[in-house]
Amino acid sequence: MNSITNVEKKIDVVVISTEGYLNKDLGESILVIAKEHIGEGFIKFLINLKDSNIVNSIGASIMIELIEELQDKDGALAFCSLAPIVEKTFTIMGLTKYCSTYESQEAALSAMA
Amino acid sequence: MGDNNLKNPTIELKLPIIENMELVATQTADVVSRHMQLSEEKSGEITLALIEACINAFEHSSAEDEIYIHFIICDDNLTIKVIDRGAGFDSDNVETPSIEQKLASDERKRGWGIMLIKELMDSVSFESDHTGTTVTMVKKRDENE
């Protein structure tokens, strides 16, 4: 199943956790949730991909759309718990130039606070 | 193993053009990678390159029925061919994307597949004409694999 498993607010950071294949559908679901929270004034987002160890370029390109949304609002997007091939994909595509990546959710929240 | 006497054993798949069916191919790639005792890193790279090649075949080929994937186990490499019977394309005319260019424009953020395949595999070639496209991707085996 490819889905968002949890959305929670950790002070001013919205943490979105997923499971399964980060493809077009899951990417769009993340974008919809993020836009809803941007509408409420949140500008810091952490995507926890611990249970999504496979990605395609369409899902990743939708994350570029989210980077663009947040750039307009001086916001931040970060990822945590990436499988090596997911991190490599994000690096090749250049996402890691615009987003931080962290080994764990705890490390990410500590850095983003 | 039963295939020890085979020269370049080959696994062939036929996939219908249905969303997410590329994951069927990745499961076969996992089995082949384990058989060849490729590293986890190489296996992951093969998986992603294969996903991208299948998606390109699904989305850009205009193929009406199915695509074909051949996994050819060679002594020193794994060769994967992704074959469609679509309209073909000119790989020389595919622009190399950059995130800066994507962020600076209103255009779609997509178009990364060929770049990713080239980055992840040791060699990639395209044969394409109006009858279809064959993408040939090679991942070399290390001496200790």
Side-chain angles (χ1 to χ4, degrees):
Chain A
M1 186 63 186
N2 314 314
S3 61
I4 291 173
T5 53
N6 194 40
V7 181
E8 58 184 332
K9 293 156 191 150
K10 297 283 190 180
I11 309 176
D12 62 341
V13 181
V14 179
V15 182
I16 301 173
S17 301
T18 67
E19 70 176 5
Y21 186 22
L22 177 48
N23 58 2
K24 178 174 179 280
D25 292 341
L26 183 51
E28 285 178 345
S29 297
I30 293 170
L31 188 60
V32 166
I33 293 284
K35 282 183 174 178
E36 285 173 9
H37 285 82
I38 291 169
E40 295 170 12
F42 289 92
I43 58 169
K44 291 184 185 176
F45 291 84
L46 173 63
I47 315 295
N48 186 335
L49 295 176
K50 178 169 69 71
D51 296 318
S52 287
N53 58 14
I54 189 162
V55 64
N56 68 30
S57 63
I58 303 174
S61 68
I62 295 170
M63 297 302 98
I64 298 176
E65 289 183 42
L66 182 51
I67 292 169
E68 194 170 52
E69 288 276 339
L70 290 169
Q71 277 187 333
D72 293 342
K73 295 168 178 62
D74 212 16
L77 175 63
F79 297 93
C80 69
S81 310
L82 302 182
I85 188 59
V86 176
E87 179 137 28
K88 187 163 197 165
T89 305
F90 286 0
T91 300
I92 293 170
M93 292 176 64
L95 274 79
T96 49
K97 290 191 270 186
Y98 295 88
C99 306
S100 298
T101 61
Y102 300 94
E103 283 191 5
S104 66
Q105 182 168 310
E106 293 70 29
L109 289 173
S110 168
M112 294 174 82
Chain B
M1 295 288 288
D3 61 7
N4 281 350
N5 294 325
L6 292 176
K7 182 65 180 168
N8 298 341
T10 300
I11 299 98
E12 298 184 6
L13 289 183
K14 181 169 76 172
L15 295 185
I17 298 183
I18 297 174
E19 193 177 7
N20 295 334
M21 204 52 64
E22 66 274 15
L23 296 181
V24 173
T26 67
Q27 290 177 8
T28 303
D30 279 346
V31 173
V32 171
S33 294
R34 280 200 297 274
H35 169 79
M36 295 180 71
Q37 298 181 310
L38 300 179
S39 66
E40 287 288 319
E41 182 181 8
K42 284 187 182 182
S43 178
E45 291 167 348
I46 290 165
T47 293
L48 183 61
L50 184 55
I51 284 173
E52 296 300 326
C54 288
I55 290 174
N56 277 351
F58 287 168
E59 292 207 332
H60 303 308
S61 71
S62 305
E64 290 177 357
D65 42 16
E66 58 252 322
I67 68 168
Y68 303 85
I69 303 168
H70 297 177
F71 299 86
I72 305 161
I73 301 171
C74 304
D75 289 341
D76 60 351
N77 73 64
L78 171 63
T79 298
I80 302 174
K81 292 179 181 284
V82 179
I83 303 157
D84 68 65
R85 292 179 180 151
F89 77 109
D90 182 356
S91 61
D92 293 334
N93 279 342
V94 177
E95 201 174 315
T96 301
S98 78
I99 192 167
E100 287 76 19
Q101 163 227 330
K102 298 287 186 190
L103 287 170
S105 74
D106 292 333
E107 70 178 57
R108 287 197 324 166
K109 311 305 177 193
R110 291 171 57 174
W112 298 88
I114 289 176
M115 176 196 184
L116 281 167
I117 293 168
K118 288 179 175 174
E119 290 279 341
L120 294 166
M121 299 299 279
D122 291 311
S123 71
V124 184
S125 62
F126 302 90
E127 297 165 65
S128 191
D129 62 25
H130 67 282
T131 65
T133 299
T134 298
V135 180
T136 302
M137 312 183 288
V138 176
K139 179 62 87 177
K140 292 179 187 166
R141 224 172 185 166
D142 288 339
E143 283 182 9
N144 58 353
E145 287 176 327

